């Protein structure tokens, strides 16, 4: 019994399902067909949203000519557009529209004919979003929106708002997949452009053929009287199946922008699904087109482009002229002199330096740091002697130009006076200062060009020049040379010059391996240039005497300290400090105390060094590094020790830190 009852139930269920399927087939066969010869009396058939309205004389107005509007108008009943899962049903539509812009080249933004899952477009934005989509859902495949856009503004997304005049096919997005400038084909097959915003009625035919998936679009001014035979767009759009859902709404969207707006009108509309085309609109039976209130464009396109290009050319020429003038001024700037700048024999002309360094070309840079950038230059005798105010020494040949931008300009004037005297310093172990030049806020110092680079690079760079370790002979010669240069600065010249930044990178080596001390006195510019009255401690960590960090007073004794560190460095090939608490002088001192000081000699020298000279150099170095300034020897004595003219006195044991080195600390 139970078995047969369930069979009956199953049978009934099958019947019921079949009825459902048939009912579904019947409804899916339902076609839609409508014709609006104007919209008078059809208000109930059209769902209006946003700023759209039906005017008293029966025009469907999508937007007025006001800023920032968006309006939509959809046929109020859904339309079946799916035949089955894989075929979009054929449909056909025709409408007549009018766009009245503010002036014939200033309208916006346009309108669309749309297939939408909803009879309105909630959250759609105006301007380039055409009342269809918004910034967030633009391009979203879940939109299920197909639109034919009649766009009167170019430059979607780049917001350039140029005049646009095109028709595009849009799938879920405002970026058109197919885009055509607005035109029709005349009887001879010539393409004729025309403006969407002309203010005249324009008719559109859009036909989609389901089986061939081909969409054709024809657009033309109704004044032509008959539909052109060649469509503007004929395109297979298989993508439509991804858009179309079982039920879709058909209608229009339109929008205006902040600065540009048009009123968009639809005068009549017919639509049908299925293979037969939409009913032909009777143009003469449509409501009267809206009055053409657009103003005449003030300029036509040619005039505008002419004006624009002329303006551009003139502007460019003006800019060029200004640049030239500024450039010339800059070149001549050093010839516009303040009183104090006159009569300085060591002054160079900026123009000559500019030429010599190839316009301060990047590839002329031979060094940076130490207050400025250094350029290599080539100065010719003729160029310097041709200038009446330039250096009396008439230098020629290779030069190094150091470009300094001091912290403040105030210091420059005093400093130049000093430079003038520094310019008279002449010693074989100094990098001779040939002259100077003030240019704007920059101070340019001109030095002899020294070919071998700095001691720093000779001691540490890998690979070393010519691959060889700096020989002992060269090291000792360099040490004595630096001492001799410092002695000259401290004692032998008419006044005391404190170097303030003795370190390997400030020692240049010439082609005979003689050291040349550079950058002397420069630190002073830095001190003077500083704005506050607080003393700026100038120097380089590792070479600064302990009293400098306490009171900031540079003295010849602090130069001696730095020389001591440098001397130990030359012999040991080690930097004065490392990131930890290593301090070279302390380390050498401990080896010295343990009677094993020669273990501190640069291991790369092997046995290639003079033991007596090495011991001597270490002793002098340690003497110079004494924490108490009063215990350090003067440069004159240092040189006498190094030359063997005087015995090195006994060295007091000291330490700069509390750290003890685990002896011997020789790895690295
Ligand atoms: C629009 O209204 C007119 C006049 O009332 C009517 O004849 C026509 O059938 C309507 N059109 C549609 C599509 O409902
Ligand atoms: C869908 O309909 C088309 C045309 O009516 C037909 O050719 C096709 O075979 C149908 N496809 C399916 C899956 O029913
Ligand atoms: C509408 O007015 C503008 C400006 O006066 C003019 O350029 C355009 O040709 C007019 N359009 C029609 C259809 O009269
Ligand atoms: C078009 O409309 C006009 C005026 O309403 C009418 O005289 C004419 O017969 C219509 N034409 C057609 C083909 O219906």
């Amino acid at each position: 019994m139970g078995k047969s009852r369930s069979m009956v139930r199953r049978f009934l269920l099958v019947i019921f399902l079949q009825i459902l399927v048939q009912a579904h087939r019947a409804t899916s066969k339902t076609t839609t067909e409508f014709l609006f010869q104007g919209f008078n009396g059809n208000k109930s058939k059209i769902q209006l949203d946003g700023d759209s309205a039906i005017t008293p004389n029966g025009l469907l107005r999508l937007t007025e000519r006001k800023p920032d509007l968006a309006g939509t108008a959809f046929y109020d009943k859904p339309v079946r557009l799916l035949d089955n899962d894989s075929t979009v049903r054929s449909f056909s539509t025709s409408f007549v529209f009018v766009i009245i812009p503010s002036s014939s080249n200033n309208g916006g933004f346009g309108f669309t004919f749309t297939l939408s899952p909803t009879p309105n477009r909630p959250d759609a934005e105006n301007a380039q979003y055409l009342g269809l989509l918004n910034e967030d859902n633009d391009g979203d495949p879940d939109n299920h929106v197909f639109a034919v856009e009649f766009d009167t503004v170019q430059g979607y997304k780049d917001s350039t708002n140029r005049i646009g005049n095109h028709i595009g096919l849009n799938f879920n997005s405002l970026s058109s997949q197919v885009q055509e400038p607005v035109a029709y084909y005349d009887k001879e097959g010539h393409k004729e452009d025309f403006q969407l915003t002309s203010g005249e009625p324009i008719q559109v035919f859009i036909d989609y053929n389901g089986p061939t998936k081909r969409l054709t679009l024809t657009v033309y001014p109704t004044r032509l009287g008959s539909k052109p035979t060649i469509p503007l767009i004929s395109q297979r759009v298989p993508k439509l199946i991804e858009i179309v859902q079982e039920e879709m709404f058909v209608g229009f969207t339109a929008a205006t922008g902040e600065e540009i707006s048009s009123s968009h009108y639809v005068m009549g509309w017919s639509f049908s699904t299925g293979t037969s085309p939409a009913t032909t609109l009777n143009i003469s039976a449509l409501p009267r087109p809206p009055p053409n209130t657009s103003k005449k464009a003030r300029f036509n396109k040619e005039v505008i482009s002419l004006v624009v290009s002329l303006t551009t050319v003139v502007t460019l020429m003006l800019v060029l002229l200004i640049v030239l003038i500024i450039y010339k001024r800059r070149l001549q700037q050093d010839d516009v002199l303040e009183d104090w700048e006159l009569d300085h024999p060591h002054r160079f002309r900026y123009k000559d330096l500019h030429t010599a360094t190839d316009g301060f070309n990047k590839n002329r840079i031979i060094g940076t740091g130490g207050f400025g950038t250094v350029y290599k230059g080539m100065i010719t005798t003729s160029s310097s002697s041709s200038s009446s105010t330039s250096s009396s020494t008439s230098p020629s040949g290779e030069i190094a130009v150091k470009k300094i931008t001091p912290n403040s300009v105030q210091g420059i004037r005093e400093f130049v006076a000093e430079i003038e005297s520094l310019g008279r310093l002449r010693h074989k172990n100094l990098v001779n200062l040939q002259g100077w030049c003030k240019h704007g806020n920059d101070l340019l110092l001109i030095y002899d060009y020294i070919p071998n680079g700095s001691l720093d690079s000779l001691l540490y760079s890998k690979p070393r020049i010519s691959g060889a370790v700096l020989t002992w002979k060269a090291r000792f010669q360099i040490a004595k040379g630096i001492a001799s240069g410092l002695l000259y600065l401290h004692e032998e010249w008419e006044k005391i010059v404190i170097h303030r930044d003795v370190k390997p990178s400030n020692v240049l080596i010439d082609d005979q391996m003689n050291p040349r001390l550079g950058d002397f006195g420069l630190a002073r510019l830095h001190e003077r240039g500083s704005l506050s009255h607080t003393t700026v401690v100038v120097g380089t960590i590792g070479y600064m005497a302990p009293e400098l960090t306490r009171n900031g007073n540079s003295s010849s004794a602090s130069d001696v300290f730095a020389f001591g560190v440098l001397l130990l460095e030359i012999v040991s090939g080690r930097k004065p400090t490392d990131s930890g608490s290593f301090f070279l002088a302390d380390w050498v001192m401990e080896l010295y105390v343990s009677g094993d000081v020669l273990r501190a000699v640069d291991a790369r020298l092997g046995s290639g060094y003079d033991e007596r000279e090495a011991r001597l150099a270490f002793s002098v170095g340690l003497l110079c590094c004494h924490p108490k300034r009063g215990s350090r020897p003067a440069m004159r004595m240092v040189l006498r020790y190094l030359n063997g003219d005087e015995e090195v006195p006994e060295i007091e044991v000291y330490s700069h830190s509390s750290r003890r080195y685990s002896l011997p600390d020789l790895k690295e």
Side-chain angles (χ1 to χ4, degrees):
M1 269 305 266
K3 218 176 194 182
S4 69
R5 197 180 271 175
S6 82
M7 273 182 72
V8 168
R9 249 189 226 154
R10 215 175 266 176
F11 178 71
L12 285 176
L13 186 68
V14 166
I15 298 259
F16 177 67
L17 281 179
Q18 272 185 352
I19 288 170
L20 266 188
V21 166
Q22 297 231 324
H24 177 74
R25 285 226 174 110
T27 52
S28 70
K29 281 266 178 320
T30 314
T31 55
T32 304
E33 201 174 339
F34 59 79
L35 166 70
F36 295 108
Q37 292 277 6
F39 297 86
N40 254 340
N42 300 120
K43 206 160 186 169
S44 60
K45 296 277 166 56
I46 302 289
Q47 175 153 349
L48 299 171
D49 266 290
D51 299 299
S52 60
I54 288 172
T55 66
N57 66 338
L59 292 169
L60 169 58
R61 189 187 61 211
L62 298 168
T63 71
E64 285 184 272
R65 197 171 58 194
K66 285 179 182 165
D68 292 333
L69 301 181
T72 62
F74 283 89
Y75 184 61
D76 71 335
K77 288 193 189 60
V79 176
R80 297 215 166 261
L81 279 177
L82 271 188
D83 257 346
N84 53 34
D85 286 347
S86 60
T87 313
V88 175
R89 187 181 287 186
S90 300
F91 65 86
S92 167
T93 189
S94 173
F95 51 89
V96 176
F97 70 89
V98 177
I99 298 176
I100 313 274
S102 351
S103 69
S104 60
N105 58 17
N106 191 18
F109 265 80
F111 77 100
T112 71
F113 168 76
T114 296
L115 305 184
S116 159
T118 49
N120 49 22
R121 299 298 308 151
D123 301 327
E125 289 170 15
N126 55 11
Q128 72 264 35
Y129 297 103
L130 296 176
L132 181 72
L133 295 171
N134 59 41
E135 198 176 350
D136 295 327
N137 68 7
D138 182 21
D140 188 339
D142 293 336
N143 288 335
H144 290 286
V145 160
F146 168 71
V148 180
E149 66 169 34
F150 296 79
D151 198 343
T152 62
V153 176
Q154 197 74 267
Y156 164 66
K157 273 190 175 164
D158 59 11
S159 66
T160 47
N161 292 1
R162 277 171 291 130
I163 306 164
N165 191 49
H166 65 260
I167 293 174
L169 305 186
N170 297 2
F171 300 86
N172 290 326
S173 161
L174 280 150
S175 314
S176 306
Q177 282 219 327
V178 179
Q179 210 179 78
E180 280 293 331
V182 178
Y184 64 87
Y185 288 91
D186 70 8
K187 290 194 181 71
E188 281 79 42
H190 299 308
K191 206 172 183 179
E192 295 289 338
D193 293 335
F194 66 100
Q195 293 294 318
L196 293 173
T197 54
S198 65
E200 62 181 335
I202 293 167
Q203 185 157 17
V204 180
F205 288 89
I206 298 167
D207 295 283
Y208 175 76
N209 184 298
T212 64
K213 302 183 171 61
R214 182 171 294 275
L215 183 135
T216 56
L217 181 147
T218 309
V219 58
Y220 64 98
T222 54
R223 64 180 147 85
L224 293 189
S226 61
K227 180 184 172 189
T229 48
I230 307 173
L232 175 65
I233 292 172
S234 175
Q235 182 87 27
R236 268 171 52 81
V237 287
K239 211 176 167 163
L240 206 53
I241 189 68
E242 295 163 26
I243 306 281
V244 169
Q245 296 180 317
E246 196 128 329
E247 294 197 325
M248 297 294 277
F249 289 87
V250 294
F252 303 94
T253 76
T256 66
E258 188 184 342
E259 279 152 22
I260 42 183
S261 57
S262 310
S263 40
H264 301 90
Y265 294 93
V266 179
M267 294 168 63
W269 178 26
S270 78
F271 179 91
S272 75
T273 56
T275 42
S276 55
T279 318
T280 312
L281 289 162
N282 183 345
I283 301 297
S284 49
L286 297 180
R288 289 172 59 82
N292 180 6
T293 53
S294 69
K295 295 177 198 81
K296 242 210 152 60
R298 223 172 288 158
F299 306 105
N300 68 32
K301 263 190 182 167
E302 284 83 40
V303 173
I304 290 178
S305 55
L306 195 71
V307 168
V308 166
S309 42
L310 271 180
T311 316
T312 314
V313 168
V314 169
T315 312
L316 274 180
M317 284 174 71
L318 270 177
V319 167
L320 213 70
L321 199 71
I322 291 169
V323 167
L324 267 178
I325 289 173
I326 290 176
Y327 184 70
K328 262 196 122 167
R329 276 252 178 100
R330 283 186 70 108
L331 280 186
Q332 287 168 348
Q333 195 160 8
D334 67 337
D335 292 334
V336 184
L337 294 173
E338 295 169 36
D339 285 348
W340 62 266
E341 284 181 85
L342 295 167
D343 286 336
H344 284 305
H346 295 287
R347 201 173 57 76
F348 274 63
R349 294 210 315 181
Y350 183 70
K351 206 169 129 192
D352 296 338
L353 298 178
H354 196 267
T355 315
T357 56
D358 227 352
F360 293 96
N361 198 313
K362 269 207 184 105
N363 53 34
R364 292 295 194 95
I365 294 179
I366 50 174
T368 49
F371 312 118
T373 309
V374 186
Y375 297 83
K376 183 182 176 180
M378 190 68 175
I379 206 144
T380 53
T381 318
S382 62
S383 80
S384 60
S385 63
S386 69
S387 84
S388 55
T389 53
S390 94
S391 167
S392 58
T393 53
S394 299
S396 72
E398 290 176 316
I399 52 168
V401 180
K402 183 164 216 156
K403 192 174 188 176
I404 306 169
T405 308
N407 286 358
S408 96
V409 219
Q410 291 154 15
I412 288 193
R413 185 173 170 167
E414 292 166 72
F415 184 69
V416 162
E418 197 160 313
I419 291 275
E420 273 302 322
S421 54
L422 291 183
R424 283 182 283 126
L425 287 168
R426 283 286 177 274
H427 188 271
K428 69 176 175 31
N429 292 117
L430 295 182
V431 180
N432 289 328
L433 179 67
Q434 294 190 4
W436 59 277
C437 168
K438 180 177 159 288
H439 181 248
N441 285 344
D442 290 338
L443 188 63
L444 300 156
L445 298 177
I446 299 92
Y447 291 100
D448 295 347
Y449 172 75
I450 311 294
N452 267 354
S454 69
L455 175 59
D456 195 39
S457 65
L458 285 178
L459 270 181
Y460 301 112
S461 79
K462 303 170 191 171
R464 279 174 198 79
I465 291 166
S466 70
V469 177
L470 200 54
T471 64
W472 176 258
K473 194 161 167 278
R475 290 184 199 220
F476 203 62
Q477 181 184 332
I478 287 168
K480 287 200 280 190
I482 299 169
S484 160
L486 270 176
L487 171 62
Y488 177 78
L489 289 178
H490 286 179
E491 297 179 31
E492 293 177 351
W493 199 53
E494 58 198 47
K495 56 185 176 191
I496 298 173
V497 178
I498 311 295
H499 188 290
R500 289 156 206 262
D501 204 10
V502 175
K503 60 179 173 180
S505 60
N506 276 340
V507 176
L508 301 182
I509 307 296
D510 71 13
D511 43 9
Q512 266 123 48
M513 294 307 266
N514 287 312
R516 305 280 221 98
L517 207 42
D519 271 0
F520 40 84
L522 270 202
R524 199 158 167 72
L525 175 71
H526 203 64
E527 278 176 1
R528 286 200 181 156
S530 65
L531 291 171
S532 67
H533 295 293
T534 57
T535 316
V536 176
V537 178
V538 180
T540 304
I541 300 218
Y543 302 90
M544 278 159 72
E547 75 271 11
L548 262 185
T549 50
R550 282 196 300 273
N551 59 22
N553 285 341
S554 302
S555 62
S556 42
S558 55
D559 272 1
V560 169
F561 183 91
F563 173 79
V565 176
L566 177 57
L567 184 55
L568 297 179
E569 189 175 354
I570 291 172
V571 181
S572 66
R574 281 170 173 256
K575 304 244 182 199
T577 55
D578 63 10
S579 47
S581 53
F582 176 82
F583 185 58
L584 182 60
D586 285 356
W587 179 71
V588 173
M589 177 59 90
E590 288 189 26
L591 285 169
Y592 177 83
V593 169
S594 67
D596 212 4
V597 74
L598 289 181
R599 299 196 63 170
V601 174
D602 192 343
R604 289 167 302 189
L605 285 167
S607 57
Y609 65 94
D610 184 314
E611 268 190 36
R612 191 192 58 83
E613 285 175 351
R615 281 184 199 282
L616 176 62
F618 277 132
S619 304
V620 175
L622 288 174
L623 208 55
C624 293
C625 286
H626 200 287
K628 285 205 212 86
R629 47 183 291 185
S631 303
R632 295 173 210 147
M635 276 328 287
R636 181 170 299 281
M637 290 312 292
V638 169
L639 200 61
R640 287 182 67 82
Y641 298 146
L642 287 177
N643 283 334
D645 297 340
E646 192 111 16
E647 281 293 310
V648 181
E650 200 172 318
I651 298 165
E652 208 183 306
V653 176
Y654 59 79
S655 172
H656 290 269
S657 69
S658 51
R659 187 184 155 188
R660 311 286 308 169
Y661 295 97
S662 49
L663 294 173
D665 189 356
L666 283 171
K667 54 186 184 301
E668 230 178 77

